[in-house]
Amino acid sequence: MANDIGEAFESQRAIMGHMLAFADSMALKCAVELGLADIIHVHNAPMTLSQIAATIIDHSPSSTPNMDNLKRIMRYLVNMKIFTSTVGIGGETLYGPTPLSKWISNDFELGVAPLILFNDHALQQAGLHFLAECVKNGGDAFTMAHGCDTWTFASKNALYNKLFNKGMSCMQYLAIAIIDQYEGLKTVGSLVNVGGGTGQFLAGIIEKQPHIKGINFDLPHVIAMAPELPGVIHVSGDMFESIPSGEAIMLKWIMHDWPEKECIQILKKCRQAIPKNGKVVIIDIVLQPKEDGLYCPIGLKMDMLMLGHTGGKERTEDEFKTILNEGGFSSYKITHAAAPMCIIEAYPH
């Protein structure tokens, strides 16, 4: 009986942990909004709570930090291993950086602070409350929450558009690190980056491979925010209508935004835009079961986000094979990059 009670409580604790997992992302969002990582890294030495609060006031003079609330936030972030805590000579707790904290710093070039602010914003989270409705009746969760799909909403809502583009831009450094492992662009004379955002990713490629003529292609409201970048030509349009011609087409984190029907439409437009010896280069997650049959947690979490945010999905290799074949690409090669990300090089029929 005692063992049964112990197992029951252990199971309950596990469910409670899953239920409250959102607290992690909200604590990260709070840390970014307060600039806690920036404050501690710039100080270059462990800080007391009072020193952190004073710097918050320096950055936001109208604020009056609540010390108890700040203490609770810091305690939570220490428990997440975002910061360290030690006891100083006078008995005060001192907070210091960790290898994780730099990633939420606004000053770290490779950091993900803008992505945290985007993904954890109420506008982006709203669709996740409609997952059950998606199961019962199908449909797009984001549209259920906002009355239109992600892309239409971004064209109408300036705040969301700004959050989206900044969030995606901060991921360009990871994407460039991934593409650096790929040698398939050395002989490509022209590259069209479809859904390329404001163009930083393509600019990063051309900086290292200046022989490439780069075309950054995205929706008009995105291109309107795109800065002038060396070697990059910005073109606005709709990938479901036509795609600029090039020797190769790049689809970075595009396929996972869409259901099968739309993916096949996009691939057919890509096929029309490249020569017979051209190719499409896809950067996306490829879901792969491990020996125990389970999948990489990051891949599955991203799959849930796509269900709630865009109506798209993360795919297995077999699922990619199906849409590629129906989209006009009979063969492909997968290069495993930063797990669970992969580069898929697809060749036309």
Side-chain angles (χ1 to χ4, degrees), residues 41-56:
H41 279 262
V42 168
H43 191 70
N44 207 29
M47 301 179 72
T48 66
L49 209 62
S50 297
Q51 289 174 318
I52 295 171
T55 311
I56 291 173

Side-chain angles (χ1 to χ4, degrees), residues 296-309:
C296 168
I298 294 294
L300 294 186
K301 288 178 190 293
M302 286 297 298
D303 189 45
M304 290 296 99
L305 289 183
M306 293 304 102
L307 182 58
H309 293 170

Side-chain angles (χ1 to χ4, degrees), residues 140-150 152-153 156:
D140 175 4
F142 192 94
T143 298
M144 293 175 193
H146 295 291
C148 60
D149 64 29
T150 302
T152 303
F153 189 74
K156 296 178 178 179

Side-chain angles (χ1 to χ4, degrees), residues 12-27 76 80 301:
Q12 184 193 54
R13 278 194 293 271
I15 292 298
M16 291 287 286
H18 293 310
M19 180 186 75
L20 298 172
F22 69 89
D24 287 4
S25 57
M26 290 300 104
Y76 195 93
M80 288 176 65
K301 288 178 190 293

Side-chain angles (χ1 to χ4, degrees), residues 176-194:
I176 290 170
I178 291 172
I179 208 69
D180 279 347
Q181 303 175 47
Y182 173 65
E183 298 186 353
L185 297 179
K186 290 183 177 180
T187 58
V188 169
S190 58
L191 176 66
V192 181
N193 190 22
V194 174

Side-chain angles (χ1 to χ4, degrees), residues 148-222:
C148 60
D149 64 29
T150 302
W151 324 111
T152 303
F153 189 74
S155 70
K156 296 178 178 179
N157 188 297
L159 172 61
Y160 185 80
N161 188 41
K162 182 179 179 180
L163 287 167
F164 179 91
N165 287 320
K166 290 185 93 172
M168 294 302 101
S169 291
C170 85
M171 292 295 287
Q172 305 312 324
Y173 299 105
L174 171 61
I176 290 170
I178 291 172
I179 208 69
D180 279 347
Q181 303 175 47
Y182 173 65
E183 298 186 353
L185 297 179
K186 290 183 177 180
T187 58
V188 169
S190 58
L191 176 66
V192 181
N193 190 22
V194 174
T198 53
Q200 282 87 352
F201 173 59
L202 186 56
I205 292 175
I206 292 171
E207 182 181 3
K208 297 181 179 182
Q209 304 194 59
H211 67 278
I212 296 175
K213 175 189 174 183
I215 299 173
N216 181 56
F217 182 66
D218 214 311
L219 293 166
H221 68 270
V222 178

